[in-house]
Amino acid sequence: MADTIPSSGDEQRERKRKLETPSCSASSASPKSLPFPADDGDDLLSEEDELASDEEEEYQRQVDDSDGFDVDYLPHPLGGLVPNEMKDDYSPFYTFLYSKLGIHCYNLQKETNFKLIRIHKYNTNKGGYPFAFYITLDAADTRNNTPCTFQTCVVEYPTPEWGYFSVWTELSRLKVPNGPRATSDVCNERRWRDEAVDDFYKGKMPNWLTKDELAAATDKGQYYELQESDLLGNEWLQLYAEFAFHVRWRGHGGLPSFLPLKMKKVIVQTLESGEDPPHLKLKSNNAIFYMSFRAGNGDPTGMPVVYHAMIRETMDGKPGHIVLEVQCWACKASSE
């Protein structure tokens, strides 16, 4: 049988795929088995517009050797990773949040206490889907003031049909030196183990708790209402609330001016019950958080508002992996 000769369109689609992301990024295989939009081929380049192959090879070498974190700008309409710099410490706000999420994941798994110092740069996958952010930042462990350069790759995926927003880390690590490495190892490091997460934490988000439901479930030990000491001892809860605030006001340019958020009530739910003491639920790899909070310095609406948020946290047991699914809505303060 004669060999099949790929068409020009097939070749260009393959070149576009290679340019978009590292070969095994979660952007092409998400932990929630997310669908890809159809490629209609409208953005394919003509032969005379293609970049020289040596430029593409150098770009691909940089992507492969750095896992997407250290890449020069390649002006190519087919897509690819595009370097960006922060406008200030908080802008874009989502990059600030994604940086802190990567550090939070690392701290949970390594029992460290790294804090964000400064974001160096971030690369985004132009034209890619889902949207990936390769962030390089400075951090320091507050217990011994040890500085480090940190890398995290965060992927976001809005789910308008279900009314909430998903974000997950596929890499959260101290900076790895650039250079050739085994592709299979990197792919395995990125790949999400969906089978490791109980079905209780999958599918649509649960409904907001009624008082009767909370009372009944609390008796079974699945819920725990956090105390003031819990909030003070777990600063990452503020990060989860900031994610919810960001999701509610996505696209608003001035959200940092309304921080810090003021927590009113936080309830955590786990499949397991009977932890002793119950605040150990905060250390669970998988949990659902029900939060009520206010903006700390006015509000984007100009009115007194209380926000309700549900945040589902899941981890698959692999280093550098955490998923947050976030839903948030606003209520007039008098309605509580």
Side-chain angles (χ1 to χ4, degrees), residues 163-272:
Y164 60 86
F165 179 84
S166 301
V167 61
W168 65 88
T169 60
E170 62 173 23
L171 294 171
S172 304
R173 67 192 190 188
L174 302 181
K175 180 176 172 61
V176 175
N178 292 352
R181 61 200 68 185
T183 302
S184 59
D185 292 343
V186 178
C187 288
N188 183 62
E189 185 179 359
R190 292 176 182 270
R191 189 173 296 114
W192 177 264
R193 293 176 59 242
D194 193 57
E195 68 277 7
V197 180
D198 193 278
D199 288 344
F200 179 80
Y201 300 101
K202 298 177 183 178
K204 291 185 178 181
M205 295 278 273
N207 295 323
W208 184 256
L209 288 172
T210 66
K211 291 182 179 179
D212 291 342
E213 289 171 338
L214 177 59
T218 300
D219 291 339
K220 298 178 182 179
Q222 286 190 317
Y223 293 83
Y224 170 63
E225 183 172 343
L226 274 61
Q227 307 302 306
E228 185 68 23
S229 58
D230 298 319
L231 297 175
L232 294 175
N234 296 277
E235 294 181 5
W236 52 268
L237 292 166
Q238 180 76 203
L239 171 63
Y240 283 16
E242 289 172 1
F243 260 103
F245 192 53
H246 162 65
V247 168
R248 176 61 183 84
W249 291 104
R250 190 166 172 80
H252 191 291
L255 293 185
S257 65
F258 301 105
L259 303 180
L261 302 175
K262 296 181 179 179
M263 309 295 284
K264 293 177 62 64
K265 180 181 291 188
V266 179
I267 296 169
V268 57
Q269 176 190 14
T270 61
L271 176 61
E272 301 80 17

Side-chain angles (χ1 to χ4, degrees), residues 18-19 21 56-65:
K18 289 181 178 180
L19 281 168
T21 58
E56 290 190 5
E57 289 176 2
E58 171 59 18
Y59 165 85
Q60 196 61 47
R61 183 196 64 77
Q62 293 177 5
V63 171
D64 293 340
D65 286 358

Side-chain angles (χ1 to χ4, degrees), residues 1 134 157:
M1 181 180 294
Y134 297 79
Y157 184 79

